[in-house]
Amino acid sequence: MLIKLAWRNLWRQKRRTLLTAFALALALFLSLFMRSMQEGSYEHNIDNSARFSTGLSQLQSPEYATTESIEDLLPGDDDFIAPAKALPHISYALPRIESFLLASSEERSKGVLVYGVRPQLESDYSGIDDKLVAGRYLTPGAKEVLLGQGLAEYLKLGVGDELVLYGQGYHGQTAAGVYPIAGILHFPLAQLDNQLVYMPLSAAQGLFSTGEQVTSWVLHSDNLDEVAPLTERLSALYGDRVKVRDWQSLAPEMAQQIALDRAGGLFMICLLYLIVGFALFGTILMMTLERRREFGVMLATGMARLTLLRLVMIESLLIAALGTALGLGVSSVVIGYFYYHPISLTGETAKMMLEMGWEPVMPMKVSLALVRNQVFIILSLMAFCLCYPLWRTQHLVVVAALKGGDDDQG
């Protein structure tokens, strides 16, 4: 009965009801859109950066984290990594040799980061063969290299030319070799494009004289939220003989950038909620005060105060449900569209993001947790705004309300 009465009361003032519901819907849509874009962008850049550099987690020698020396290695055989690959949510496990060397051409030289990889496994993981702009992909077991386009242009080298690599190998041996360039890669991130050299793992092990050992095992999870629990499980699995590092430890600059950007976004959403909260409070208070005579009549004819409070609460709940449904409906359409058609940034904004090391696209994240959190905040905001109007209704002076005066004059 109360629900039916509350529903009819809402549509006595259609404009006020719809405005309040639209305010809630707008707040929910804006907050969901902002959070989906933020978190989607973070996940995309973390995943993209991880696939072409650190992975989401790495197994390293305990000393390698501080020395990054070719002297601190791990076994590169499948028996070593089998326990990790058996864990749930581990989607990829790749052996790598990573080390810095001096790369030279006839005219120039530059310090580069050399990745020794298993070609087919690396292609399946990062899709690196799709980045080829010239030449062909690596052949397993061959002694050849792929260069980033920026690095190739700096060294003035092309497909078929030879690249000289020189540096320190395992146990102080000299790592030196001349390798034909099989192909040129183009990365959207300049810091990768200007310094990466890929070569087959066997060729890298021969260059650095590491035998079957590797500098790290790169692990990837099918869910970014599973990285933290996986890090704990891997640490327990391998003990002190292996150092397990997550992407935040491997790429602290990116982690700090994301933390700062996320804090800024949350601040903007708090401002949005504050503005919407004041608007809601004013609307609900007005809705309550202008009905004082109506409430006075209802109380004078025998309605209990508790029943009147329940009626007002049900009306507010129905408005909140209407606003939430509208907000979710609009959000699902808009976010769903941009989920399949991510926004690509251009111009100065794109350059700025590339300088930050991020790809200039803004994909959306579709997450039940994001929806649940924002709906909870909207409903909490509604409940908070309802406190004072309910208190006024509870302390309504019937005689004063019937006369149209203030409660203080009763």
Side-chain angles (χ1 to χ4, degrees):
M1 182 63 183
L2 277 179
I3 295 176
K4 190 175 181 180
L5 182 60
W7 182 254
R8 286 183 176 178
N9 283 341
L10 288 183
W11 300 110
R12 286 165 47 204
Q13 291 288 342
K14 292 180 183 176
R15 184 178 299 175
R16 182 184 60 201
T17 301
L18 289 175
L19 283 175
T20 309
F22 284 151
L24 279 171
L26 181 63
L28 182 59
F29 165 70
L30 290 177
S31 60
L32 267 178
F33 188 81
M34 289 176 63
R35 295 292 295 142
S36 295
M37 182 179 289
Q38 266 193 316
E39 295 301 324
S41 178
Y42 299 154
E43 285 199 358
H44 175 79
N45 284 291
I46 290 169
D47 188 85
N48 196 42
S49 176
R51 287 177 185 272
F52 288 105
S53 54
T54 62
L56 292 179
S57 300
Q58 280 195 19
L59 304 183
Q60 298 176 348
S61 164
E63 294 78 18
Y64 185 82
T66 53
T67 64
E68 295 189 354
S69 169
I70 196 68
E71 301 292 332
D72 301 314
L73 303 175
L74 289 178
D77 55 90
D78 291 338
D79 291 339
F80 174 80
I81 201 63
K85 292 172 71 174
L87 293 176
H89 299 293
I90 293 289
S91 53
Y92 289 96
L94 306 91
R96 275 186 186 169
I97 284 185
E98 302 177 20
S99 189
F100 287 93
L101 289 177
L102 183 66
S104 299
S105 61
E106 290 185 358
E107 301 181 13
R108 294 182 175 182
S109 60
K110 184 178 183 180
V112 297
L113 177 59
V114 176
Y115 280 175
V117 300
R118 289 182 179 170
Q120 186 57 52
L121 196 56
E122 195 73 21
S123 174
D124 294 341
Y125 174 52
S126 62
I128 190 173
D129 49 340
D130 293 335
K131 303 294 183 185
L132 276 172
V133 293
R136 58 172 177 77
Y137 190 56
L138 294 173
T139 302
K143 292 183 178 180
E144 57 192 12
V145 295
L146 299 176
L147 269 65
Q149 189 174 27
L151 177 61
E153 290 173 354
Y154 177 81
L155 296 175
K156 298 183 178 179
L157 294 174
V159 176
D161 294 336
E162 291 184 330
L163 177 72
V164 178
L165 294 174
Y166 182 84
Q168 181 179 343
Y170 189 51
H171 281 178
Q173 300 183 59
T174 299
V178 180
Y179 298 89
I181 299 172
I184 305 295
L185 303 166
H186 174 69
F187 298 96
L189 305 182
Q191 64 188 67
L192 301 180
D193 207 47
N194 294 331
Q195 69 168 354
L196 282 188
V197 173
Y198 280 86
M199 63 195 313
L201 181 62
S202 58
Q205 288 172 329
L207 173 64
F208 292 103
S209 305
T210 63
E212 295 298 321
Q213 301 179 96
V214 296
T215 55
S216 61
W217 278 92
V218 174
L219 304 176
H220 200 83
S221 168
D222 56 8
N223 187 341
L224 191 60
D225 296 333
E226 295 293 334
V227 172
L230 274 174
T231 301
E232 293 181 3
R233 296 183 68 178
L234 287 166
S235 298
L237 190 64
Y238 285 98
D240 296 336
R241 61 195 175 107
V242 172
K243 176 74 172 179
V244 184
R245 302 177 66 190
D246 60 13
W247 69 271
Q248 293 169 307
S249 168
L250 293 164
E253 298 85 2
M254 173 174 276
Q256 290 173 3
Q257 284 179 354
I258 288 175
L260 286 173
D261 195 73
R262 182 178 280 137
L266 291 176
F267 178 72
M268 294 301 294
I269 289 179
C270 288
L271 285 180
L272 171 68
Y273 282 139
L274 191 62
I275 295 170
V276 172
F278 274 113
L280 268 179
F281 178 75
T283 304
I284 295 173
L285 183 61
M286 179 185 66
M287 184 175 67
T288 306
L289 294 181
E290 72 179 11
R291 297 171 65 192
R292 293 179 68 255
R293 183 184 294 275
E294 174 191 341
F295 291 160
V297 171
M298 295 170 77
L299 291 174
T301 55
M303 176 178 277
R305 287 183 181 271
L306 183 59
T307 305
L308 180 59
L309 289 182
R310 289 171 58 194
L311 177 65
V312 175
M313 291 176 67
I314 291 172
E315 289 178 10
S316 302
L317 188 61
L318 289 174
I319 292 177
L322 182 61
T324 302
L326 282 172
L328 290 179
V330 174
S331 299
S332 61
V333 173
V334 176
I335 293 175
Y337 175 81
F338 286 111
Y339 178 78
Y340 291 105
H341 305 85
I343 300 170
S344 295
L345 302 177
T346 57
E348 293 299 320
T349 307
K351 290 181 182 177
M352 184 182 69
M353 292 193 70
L354 285 171
E355 288 173 358
M356 293 170 64
W358 293 11
E359 194 174 354
V361 293
M362 304 291 285
M364 292 287 178
K365 178 180 181 178
V366 177
S367 166
L368 185 61
L370 280 181
V371 174
R372 184 181 62 235
N373 292 341
Q374 299 309 313
V375 169
F376 175 76
I377 292 172
I378 288 291
L379 294 180
S380 300
L381 191 64
M382 186 75 176
F384 181 75
C385 293
L386 200 56
C387 291
Y388 181 68
L390 285 179
W391 182 85
R392 289 292 301 261
T393 304
Q394 178 67 22
H395 293 81
L396 185 71
V397 178
V398 176
V399 175
L402 291 174
K403 291 180 178 178
D406 294 335
D407 296 338
D408 296 339
Q409 297 173 359

